[in-house]
Amino acid sequence: MAAANVLTTREAAVKAARAKDEADVAAREAAAVVLRLFDNDAELVADLLGVPAEELEREAKPVTAARAKEVIEALRARAERPSRSRRAPRSGAEASPPSPPASDVPVRVSAPDDGRADAA
């Protein structure tokens, strides 16, 4: 039982380390991309993001300009594609909501009480 727990814990640690590495790469690429989009104006981007400019530049430094350009192009391509969450327009028969089922219970219509109507 203890050995299984150790193995499970080690697997979780490896997965977490891998996820952290992927997140670090994504953060560095995002920093490089945003700097490139704002003409490498680190002060402006730092003010917009609320982070120190030195930290932003340090994060972006390991990312090559070519990789930043690839990320930007991928983002633009994704923005130009229609979203998969949108549904195709339905035909008129399909577009109208189904009518509620008819009830088998008769509807009572109240007739005005003649005595009360005359009194008013």
Side-chain angles (χ1 to χ4, degrees), residues 10-36:
R10 287 190 74 208
E11 288 175 11
V14 168
K15 286 180 183 177
R18 200 172 300 132
K20 181 191 178 301
D21 290 343
E22 291 172 3
D24 286 344
V25 168
R28 285 192 297 271
E29 288 178 350
V33 165
V34 74
L35 282 173
R36 186 173 177 91

Side-chain angles (χ1 to χ4, degrees), residues 50-75:
V51 298
E54 298 80 27
E55 180 182 333
L56 189 64
E57 289 172 331
R58 185 177 58 245
E59 287 290 317
K61 190 173 185 177
V63 180
T64 65
R67 177 61 186 147
K69 188 175 178 182
E70 287 174 8
V71 173
I72 291 170
E73 289 172 0
L75 290 171

Side-chain angles (χ1 to χ4, degrees), residues 73-86:
E73 289 172 0
L75 290 171
R76 285 184 177 146
R78 193 163 79 187
E80 291 172 358
R81 283 192 312 229
S83 174
R84 290 185 182 179
S85 64
R86 293 182 185 165

